[in-house]
Structure formats: structure tokens, C-alpha cells
Short mmCIF file of all heavy atoms in Angstrom, two decimals:
data_model
loop_
_atom_site.label_atom_id
_atom_site.label_comp_id
_atom_site.label_asym_id
_atom_site.label_seq_id
_atom_site.Cartn_x
_atom_site.Cartn_y
_atom_site.Cartn_z
N MET A 182 16.52 16.46 119.43
CA MET A 182 15.29 16.32 118.63
C MET A 182 15.66 15.92 117.21
O MET A 182 16.53 16.50 116.60
CB MET A 182 14.55 17.65 118.57
CG MET A 182 14.05 18.11 119.93
SD MET A 182 12.40 17.59 120.29
CE MET A 182 11.43 18.56 119.15
N SER A 183 14.98 14.94 116.73
CA SER A 183 15.23 14.53 115.35
C SER A 183 13.99 14.80 114.51
O SER A 183 12.88 14.84 115.03
CB SER A 183 15.58 13.04 115.30
OG SER A 183 14.52 12.30 115.80
N LEU A 184 14.23 14.98 113.27
CA LEU A 184 13.12 15.20 112.35
C LEU A 184 12.23 13.98 112.31
O LEU A 184 12.71 12.86 112.25
CB LEU A 184 13.64 15.47 110.94
CG LEU A 184 13.82 16.94 110.59
CD1 LEU A 184 14.44 17.06 109.22
CD2 LEU A 184 12.50 17.67 110.62
N GLN A 185 10.97 14.25 112.34
CA GLN A 185 10.04 13.13 112.30
C GLN A 185 9.69 12.82 110.85
O GLN A 185 9.40 13.71 110.08
CB GLN A 185 8.78 13.51 113.05
CG GLN A 185 8.14 12.32 113.70
CD GLN A 185 7.02 12.74 114.63
OE1 GLN A 185 6.72 13.91 114.75
NE2 GLN A 185 6.40 11.79 115.28
N MET A 186 9.77 11.58 110.52
CA MET A 186 9.40 11.16 109.17
C MET A 186 7.89 11.25 109.01
O MET A 186 7.15 10.67 109.79
CB MET A 186 9.85 9.72 108.94
CG MET A 186 9.47 9.21 107.59
SD MET A 186 10.72 9.48 106.35
CE MET A 186 11.77 8.07 106.66
N ARG A 187 7.48 12.03 108.06
CA ARG A 187 6.03 12.16 107.86
C ARG A 187 5.47 10.87 107.28
O ARG A 187 6.09 10.23 106.46
CB ARG A 187 5.74 13.32 106.91
CG ARG A 187 6.03 14.64 107.57
CD ARG A 187 5.33 15.76 106.84
NE ARG A 187 5.55 17.01 107.53
CZ ARG A 187 6.62 17.76 107.36
NH1 ARG A 187 7.55 17.38 106.53
NH2 ARG A 187 6.77 18.87 108.02
N SER A 188 4.28 10.57 107.71
CA SER A 188 3.68 9.31 107.25
C SER A 188 2.43 9.56 106.43
O SER A 188 1.75 8.63 106.04
CB SER A 188 3.35 8.42 108.44
OG SER A 188 2.53 9.11 109.34
N GLU A 189 2.14 10.84 106.17
CA GLU A 189 1.01 11.14 105.29
C GLU A 189 1.41 12.18 104.26
O GLU A 189 2.27 13.01 104.52
CB GLU A 189 -0.18 11.70 106.08
CG GLU A 189 -0.79 10.74 107.05
CD GLU A 189 -0.46 11.15 108.46
OE1 GLU A 189 -0.34 12.35 108.70
OE2 GLU A 189 -0.30 10.24 109.29
N CYS A 190 0.73 12.12 103.13
CA CYS A 190 0.92 13.14 102.12
C CYS A 190 0.41 14.47 102.67
O CYS A 190 -0.66 14.54 103.25
CB CYS A 190 0.14 12.76 100.86
SG CYS A 190 0.10 14.06 99.63
N GLU A 191 1.19 15.54 102.50
CA GLU A 191 0.80 16.84 103.04
C GLU A 191 -0.39 17.43 102.28
O GLU A 191 -1.04 18.35 102.75
CB GLU A 191 1.97 17.82 102.95
CG GLU A 191 3.08 17.47 103.92
CD GLU A 191 4.12 18.57 103.97
OE1 GLU A 191 3.83 19.71 103.61
OE2 GLU A 191 5.25 18.27 104.38
N ARG A 192 -0.64 16.93 101.12
CA ARG A 192 -1.67 17.54 100.29
C ARG A 192 -3.02 16.82 100.43
O ARG A 192 -4.05 17.44 100.56
CB ARG A 192 -1.22 17.51 98.83
CG ARG A 192 -2.13 18.25 97.88
CD ARG A 192 -1.41 18.42 96.56
NE ARG A 192 -2.20 19.16 95.60
CZ ARG A 192 -2.93 18.59 94.65
NH1 ARG A 192 -2.98 17.30 94.55
NH2 ARG A 192 -3.61 19.33 93.80
N CYS A 193 -2.98 15.51 100.42
CA CYS A 193 -4.24 14.77 100.41
C CYS A 193 -4.39 13.84 101.61
O CYS A 193 -5.40 13.16 101.73
CB CYS A 193 -4.37 13.99 99.10
SG CYS A 193 -3.19 12.64 98.97
N ASP A 194 -3.39 13.86 102.50
CA ASP A 194 -3.45 13.07 103.72
C ASP A 194 -3.51 11.57 103.49
O ASP A 194 -3.89 10.81 104.37
CB ASP A 194 -4.64 13.49 104.59
CG ASP A 194 -4.39 14.82 105.26
OD1 ASP A 194 -3.20 15.15 105.46
OD2 ASP A 194 -5.35 15.52 105.56
N THR A 195 -3.12 11.15 102.31
CA THR A 195 -3.01 9.72 102.07
C THR A 195 -1.87 9.15 102.91
O THR A 195 -0.81 9.76 103.01
CB THR A 195 -2.72 9.46 100.58
OG1 THR A 195 -3.87 9.80 99.83
CG2 THR A 195 -2.38 7.99 100.32
N ALA A 196 -2.11 8.03 103.51
CA ALA A 196 -1.05 7.38 104.29
C ALA A 196 0.07 6.90 103.38
O ALA A 196 -0.19 6.31 102.34
CB ALA A 196 -1.64 6.22 105.07
N LEU A 197 1.29 7.20 103.78
CA LEU A 197 2.44 6.75 103.01
C LEU A 197 3.15 5.65 103.77
O LEU A 197 3.57 5.84 104.90
CB LEU A 197 3.40 7.92 102.78
CG LEU A 197 2.82 9.11 102.02
CD1 LEU A 197 3.76 10.28 102.12
CD2 LEU A 197 2.57 8.74 100.58
N GLU A 198 3.30 4.52 103.11
CA GLU A 198 4.00 3.43 103.77
C GLU A 198 5.49 3.75 103.84
O GLU A 198 6.05 4.39 102.96
CB GLU A 198 3.79 2.13 102.99
CG GLU A 198 2.35 1.66 103.05
CD GLU A 198 2.18 0.39 102.25
OE1 GLU A 198 3.10 -0.45 102.29
OE2 GLU A 198 1.15 0.25 101.59
N GLU A 199 6.09 3.27 104.88
CA GLU A 199 7.51 3.57 105.09
C GLU A 199 8.37 3.15 103.92
O GLU A 199 9.33 3.82 103.56
CB GLU A 199 8.00 2.88 106.37
CG GLU A 199 9.39 3.33 106.75
CD GLU A 199 9.83 2.71 108.05
OE1 GLU A 199 8.95 2.28 108.82
OE2 GLU A 199 11.02 2.63 108.29
N ASN A 200 8.01 2.04 103.34
CA ASN A 200 8.78 1.55 102.21
C ASN A 200 8.04 1.72 100.89
O ASN A 200 8.40 1.13 99.89
CB ASN A 200 9.15 0.07 102.41
CG ASN A 200 10.17 -0.08 103.52
OD1 ASN A 200 11.17 0.62 103.55
ND2 ASN A 200 9.90 -0.97 104.44
N GLY A 201 7.00 2.53 100.93
CA GLY A 201 6.25 2.78 99.72
C GLY A 201 6.82 3.97 98.97
O GLY A 201 7.77 4.62 99.41
N ILE A 202 6.22 4.29 97.86
CA ILE A 202 6.69 5.41 97.05
C ILE A 202 6.21 6.72 97.67
O ILE A 202 5.04 6.88 97.97
CB ILE A 202 6.20 5.28 95.61
CG1 ILE A 202 6.81 4.05 94.98
CG2 ILE A 202 6.54 6.52 94.81
CD1 ILE A 202 6.27 3.77 93.58
N ALA A 203 7.12 7.65 97.86
CA ALA A 203 6.77 8.97 98.35
C ALA A 203 7.73 9.97 97.70
O ALA A 203 8.82 9.60 97.27
CB ALA A 203 6.89 9.04 99.86
N PHE A 204 7.29 11.22 97.63
CA PHE A 204 8.14 12.24 97.04
C PHE A 204 8.41 13.32 98.07
O PHE A 204 7.50 13.75 98.78
CB PHE A 204 7.47 12.83 95.80
CG PHE A 204 7.53 11.90 94.61
CD1 PHE A 204 6.66 10.84 94.50
CD2 PHE A 204 8.49 12.10 93.63
CE1 PHE A 204 6.73 9.97 93.41
CE2 PHE A 204 8.57 11.24 92.54
CZ PHE A 204 7.68 10.18 92.44
N ILE A 205 9.66 13.77 98.14
CA ILE A 205 10.02 14.81 99.08
C ILE A 205 10.79 15.93 98.37
O ILE A 205 11.39 15.71 97.33
CB ILE A 205 10.91 14.26 100.22
CG1 ILE A 205 12.22 13.70 99.67
CG2 ILE A 205 10.16 13.20 101.03
CD1 ILE A 205 13.21 13.33 100.75
N CYS A 206 10.73 17.12 98.96
CA CYS A 206 11.56 18.21 98.46
C CYS A 206 12.75 18.37 99.38
O CYS A 206 12.91 17.64 100.36
CB CYS A 206 10.75 19.50 98.38
SG CYS A 206 10.55 20.29 99.98
N SER A 207 13.59 19.36 99.11
CA SER A 207 14.80 19.53 99.93
C SER A 207 14.48 19.89 101.37
O SER A 207 15.31 19.72 102.24
CB SER A 207 15.71 20.60 99.32
OG SER A 207 15.15 21.15 98.18
N TYR A 208 13.29 20.40 101.63
CA TYR A 208 12.90 20.73 102.99
C TYR A 208 12.05 19.65 103.63
O TYR A 208 11.43 19.85 104.65
CB TYR A 208 12.16 22.07 103.02
CG TYR A 208 13.06 23.21 102.62
CD1 TYR A 208 13.08 23.66 101.31
CD2 TYR A 208 13.89 23.80 103.56
CE1 TYR A 208 13.92 24.69 100.93
CE2 TYR A 208 14.73 24.83 103.19
CZ TYR A 208 14.75 25.27 101.87
OH TYR A 208 15.58 26.29 101.50
N GLU A 209 12.01 18.51 102.95
CA GLU A 209 11.33 17.34 103.46
C GLU A 209 9.81 17.49 103.55
O GLU A 209 9.15 16.88 104.38
CB GLU A 209 11.91 16.91 104.81
CG GLU A 209 13.40 16.60 104.67
CD GLU A 209 13.95 15.85 105.87
OE1 GLU A 209 13.17 15.43 106.72
OE2 GLU A 209 15.18 15.69 105.93
N CYS A 210 9.26 18.36 102.73
CA CYS A 210 7.83 18.32 102.52
C CYS A 210 7.57 16.99 101.81
O CYS A 210 8.33 16.59 100.94
CB CYS A 210 7.35 19.47 101.64
SG CYS A 210 7.97 21.09 102.16
N THR A 211 6.51 16.32 102.20
CA THR A 211 6.31 14.95 101.74
C THR A 211 4.96 14.80 101.04
O THR A 211 3.93 15.25 101.55
CB THR A 211 6.37 13.98 102.94
OG1 THR A 211 7.56 14.23 103.66
CG2 THR A 211 6.34 12.54 102.48
N PHE A 212 4.98 14.17 99.89
CA PHE A 212 3.75 14.00 99.12
C PHE A 212 3.70 12.60 98.53
O PHE A 212 4.74 11.97 98.33
CB PHE A 212 3.69 15.03 97.99
CG PHE A 212 3.74 16.44 98.49
CD1 PHE A 212 4.95 17.12 98.55
CD2 PHE A 212 2.60 17.08 98.93
CE1 PHE A 212 5.01 18.42 99.04
CE2 PHE A 212 2.65 18.38 99.42
CZ PHE A 212 3.85 19.04 99.48
N CYS A 213 2.48 12.18 98.21
CA CYS A 213 2.34 10.90 97.55
C CYS A 213 2.66 11.06 96.05
O CYS A 213 2.76 12.17 95.54
CB CYS A 213 0.92 10.36 97.74
SG CYS A 213 -0.35 11.27 96.86
N ALA A 214 2.82 9.94 95.39
CA ALA A 214 3.20 9.97 93.98
C ALA A 214 2.13 10.66 93.13
O ALA A 214 2.44 11.39 92.20
CB ALA A 214 3.44 8.56 93.48
N THR A 215 0.87 10.45 93.49
CA THR A 215 -0.21 11.05 92.72
C THR A 215 -0.14 12.58 92.78
O THR A 215 -0.22 13.26 91.76
CB THR A 215 -1.56 10.58 93.26
OG1 THR A 215 -1.61 9.16 93.21
CG2 THR A 215 -2.70 11.17 92.45
N CYS A 216 0.02 13.10 93.99
CA CYS A 216 0.08 14.56 94.14
C CYS A 216 1.34 15.12 93.50
O CYS A 216 1.31 16.16 92.86
CB CYS A 216 0.03 14.93 95.62
SG CYS A 216 -1.59 14.66 96.35
N ALA A 217 2.45 14.43 93.65
CA ALA A 217 3.69 14.89 93.04
C ALA A 217 3.52 15.03 91.54
O ALA A 217 3.96 16.02 90.93
CB ALA A 217 4.83 13.92 93.36
N GLY A 218 2.85 14.06 90.94
CA GLY A 218 2.60 14.12 89.51
C GLY A 218 1.66 15.27 89.16
O GLY A 218 1.88 16.01 88.20
N THR A 219 0.62 15.43 89.96
CA THR A 219 -0.35 16.50 89.71
C THR A 219 0.31 17.87 89.79
O THR A 219 -0.01 18.77 89.03
CB THR A 219 -1.48 16.41 90.76
OG1 THR A 219 -2.12 15.15 90.63
CG2 THR A 219 -2.50 17.52 90.56
N MET A 220 1.26 17.99 90.71
CA MET A 220 1.92 19.28 90.92
C MET A 220 3.17 19.43 90.07
O MET A 220 3.98 20.32 90.30
CB MET A 220 2.28 19.42 92.40
CG MET A 220 1.04 19.37 93.28
SD MET A 220 1.41 19.61 95.02
CE MET A 220 2.39 18.17 95.39
N ASP A 221 3.30 18.54 89.09
CA ASP A 221 4.43 18.60 88.17
C ASP A 221 5.77 18.49 88.91
O ASP A 221 6.76 19.10 88.54
CB ASP A 221 4.39 19.88 87.35
CG ASP A 221 5.06 19.72 86.00
OD1 ASP A 221 5.25 18.57 85.58
OD2 ASP A 221 5.40 20.73 85.38
N HIS A 222 5.77 17.72 89.99
CA HIS A 222 6.97 17.48 90.79
C HIS A 222 7.61 18.77 91.29
O HIS A 222 8.83 18.91 91.34
CB HIS A 222 7.98 16.63 90.00
CG HIS A 222 7.47 15.25 89.71
ND1 HIS A 222 6.73 14.95 88.59
CD2 HIS A 222 7.53 14.11 90.42
CE1 HIS A 222 6.40 13.67 88.62
NE2 HIS A 222 6.85 13.14 89.72
N THR A 223 6.75 19.73 91.63
CA THR A 223 7.25 20.96 92.24
C THR A 223 6.56 21.15 93.58
O THR A 223 5.33 21.10 93.66
CB THR A 223 6.95 22.17 91.32
OG1 THR A 223 7.59 21.96 90.08
CG2 THR A 223 7.47 23.45 91.95
N CYS A 224 7.32 21.39 94.62
CA CYS A 224 6.74 21.54 95.94
C CYS A 224 5.94 22.84 96.04
O CYS A 224 6.46 23.91 95.73
CB CYS A 224 7.86 21.54 97.00
SG CYS A 224 7.22 21.80 98.66
N PRO A 225 4.67 22.78 96.44
CA PRO A 225 3.84 23.97 96.54
C PRO A 225 4.22 24.83 97.75
O PRO A 225 3.86 25.99 97.82
CB PRO A 225 2.43 23.41 96.70
CG PRO A 225 2.64 22.08 97.36
CD PRO A 225 3.96 21.57 96.84
N ASN A 226 4.93 24.27 98.68
CA ASN A 226 5.30 25.02 99.88
C ASN A 226 6.53 25.88 99.66
O ASN A 226 6.58 27.04 100.08
CB ASN A 226 5.58 24.05 101.04
CG ASN A 226 4.35 23.23 101.39
OD1 ASN A 226 3.23 23.66 101.18
ND2 ASN A 226 4.58 22.06 101.92
N CYS A 227 7.54 25.32 99.03
CA CYS A 227 8.81 26.03 98.91
C CYS A 227 9.31 26.12 97.47
O CYS A 227 10.33 26.72 97.21
CB CYS A 227 9.86 25.35 99.78
SG CYS A 227 10.19 23.65 99.32
N GLY A 228 8.57 25.54 96.54
CA GLY A 228 8.96 25.66 95.15
C GLY A 228 10.09 24.75 94.73
O GLY A 228 10.58 24.83 93.62
N GLY A 229 10.50 23.88 95.65
CA GLY A 229 11.60 22.98 95.33
C GLY A 229 11.15 21.81 94.48
O GLY A 229 9.96 21.57 94.31
N GLU A 230 12.11 21.11 93.98
CA GLU A 230 11.80 19.94 93.16
C GLU A 230 11.50 18.75 94.05
O GLU A 230 12.18 18.49 95.03
CB GLU A 230 13.00 19.61 92.26
CG GLU A 230 12.72 18.45 91.34
CD GLU A 230 13.95 18.05 90.53
OE1 GLU A 230 15.04 18.58 90.80
OE2 GLU A 230 13.80 17.23 89.63
N LEU A 231 10.45 18.04 93.70
CA LEU A 231 10.11 16.82 94.43
C LEU A 231 10.82 15.63 93.81
O LEU A 231 10.74 15.42 92.60
CB LEU A 231 8.59 16.60 94.39
CG LEU A 231 7.76 17.67 95.11
CD1 LEU A 231 6.29 17.44 94.84
CD2 LEU A 231 8.03 17.66 96.60
N VAL A 232 11.49 14.89 94.63
CA VAL A 232 12.19 13.71 94.15
C VAL A 232 11.71 12.50 94.93
O VAL A 232 11.26 12.61 96.07
CB VAL A 232 13.72 13.85 94.29
CG1 VAL A 232 14.24 15.00 93.45
CG2 VAL A 232 14.10 14.05 95.75
N ALA A 233 11.81 11.35 94.31
CA ALA A 233 11.38 10.12 94.96
C ALA A 233 12.23 9.86 96.19
O ALA A 233 13.45 9.95 96.15
CB ALA A 233 11.49 8.95 93.99
N ARG A 234 11.54 9.59 97.26
CA ARG A 234 12.27 9.29 98.50
C ARG A 234 12.93 7.93 98.38
O ARG A 234 12.29 6.96 98.00
CB ARG A 234 11.27 9.27 99.66
CG ARG A 234 11.92 9.06 100.99
CD ARG A 234 10.94 9.29 102.10
NE ARG A 234 9.92 8.23 102.15
CZ ARG A 234 8.86 8.26 102.97
NH1 ARG A 234 8.68 9.31 103.74
NH2 ARG A 234 8.01 7.30 102.98
N PRO A 235 14.22 7.86 98.69
CA PRO A 235 14.89 6.57 98.61
C PRO A 235 14.30 5.57 99.58
O PRO A 235 14.00 5.91 100.72
CB PRO A 235 16.35 6.88 98.96
CG PRO A 235 16.37 8.24 99.52
CD PRO A 235 15.08 8.92 99.16
N ARG A 236 14.11 4.39 99.10
CA ARG A 236 13.56 3.34 99.95
C ARG A 236 14.67 2.61 100.66
O ARG A 236 15.77 2.46 100.14
CB ARG A 236 12.75 2.36 99.10
CG ARG A 236 11.48 2.98 98.60
CD ARG A 236 10.60 1.94 97.98
NE ARG A 236 11.15 1.42 96.71
CZ ARG A 236 10.61 0.45 96.03
NH1 ARG A 236 9.53 -0.12 96.45
NH2 ARG A 236 11.14 0.04 94.91
N ARG A 237 14.35 2.15 101.82
CA ARG A 237 15.31 1.31 102.52
C ARG A 237 15.29 -0.06 101.87
O ARG A 237 14.28 -0.76 101.90
CB ARG A 237 14.93 1.19 103.99
CG ARG A 237 15.47 2.36 104.78
CD ARG A 237 15.04 2.27 106.20
NE ARG A 237 14.75 3.61 106.71
CZ ARG A 237 14.04 3.83 107.81
NH1 ARG A 237 13.53 2.82 108.47
NH2 ARG A 237 13.83 5.03 108.22
N SER A 238 16.40 -0.43 101.32
CA SER A 238 16.45 -1.71 100.62
C SER A 238 17.33 -2.70 101.37
O SER A 238 18.35 -2.33 101.92
CB SER A 238 16.98 -1.49 99.21
OG SER A 238 17.23 -2.73 98.59
N ARG A 239 16.92 -3.91 101.36
CA ARG A 239 17.76 -4.94 101.97
C ARG A 239 18.45 -5.76 100.90
O ARG A 239 19.00 -6.80 101.16
CB ARG A 239 16.89 -5.87 102.82
CG ARG A 239 16.33 -5.13 104.03
CD ARG A 239 15.48 -6.04 104.87
NE ARG A 239 14.84 -5.26 105.93
CZ ARG A 239 13.97 -5.78 106.78
NH1 ARG A 239 13.68 -7.05 106.69
NH2 ARG A 239 13.41 -5.05 107.71
N GLU A 240 18.41 -5.29 99.70
CA GLU A 240 19.00 -6.05 98.62
C GLU A 240 20.41 -5.57 98.32
O GLU A 240 20.88 -5.60 97.21
CB GLU A 240 18.12 -5.94 97.39
CG GLU A 240 16.82 -6.67 97.59
CD GLU A 240 15.85 -6.35 96.47
OE1 GLU A 240 16.29 -6.25 95.33
OE2 GLU A 240 14.65 -6.18 96.75
N GLY A 241 21.07 -5.05 99.33
CA GLY A 241 22.46 -4.65 99.16
C GLY A 241 22.62 -3.27 98.58
O GLY A 241 21.68 -2.65 98.10
N ALA A 242 23.86 -2.76 98.67
CA ALA A 242 24.22 -1.44 98.16
C ALA A 242 23.34 -0.40 98.79
O ALA A 242 22.98 0.57 98.21
CB ALA A 242 24.16 -1.41 96.64
ZN1 LIG B 245 -1.20 13.16 98.03
ZN1 LIG B 246 8.90 21.87 100.13
#
């Protein structure tokens, strides 16, 4: 079993594009940029810091 990548913000259910901006905490709670900002980049579930999810880039590195 592998972890499923969430495709919606846990807070507002906004759809998150795979290559769009999303914020996750260390436990992979997932939020949109708007909610992350509203919550001061702190996860309401576990209190962890929300960081921008790295995007898959085809531009090397
Ligand atoms: Zn949201
Ligand atoms: Zn969390």
C-alpha cells in the first residue's frame, strides 16, 4: 500500500492540481495556499509547519 496523494485541500476541499501550489506538513496533511496562509502555515491537525509541496519539474535538477 502506498500513500495516496491528496488532491483536495483538507480544509476547504478546493481541488489541488498535481503540479499546482499546495502546502503539506510532515504528516502529509495537505492544504491549498490560501488556507496555509490563513492558518499562518501551521497544520491544524498536528501542529506541524506547512511547507510548499515540491513540484515535479521537467526543467532539470
Ligand atoms: Zn484550502
Ligand atoms: Zn498535519
Side-chain angles (χ1 to χ4, degrees):
M182 296 268 291
S183 61
L184 266 176
Q185 211 171 2
M186 178 91 84
R187 290 199 177 84
S188 56
E189 295 108 32
C190 171
E191 290 189 22
R192 187 167 182 262
C193 68
D194 286 334
T195 291
L197 299 168
E198 293 179 38
E199 189 176 339
N200 290 312
I202 295 175
F204 284 80
I205 61 171
C206 78
S207 1
Y208 294 95
E209 301 195 9
C210 311
T211 308
F212 302 95
C213 69
T215 302
C216 289
T219 300
M220 300 183 295
D221 208 17
H222 296 88
T223 300
C224 177
N226 298 333
C227 62
E230 183 184 8
L231 295 172
V232 297
R234 183 170 70 186
R236 290 190 291 175
R237 275 177 217 163
S238 171
R239 292 180 187 176
E240 291 169 39

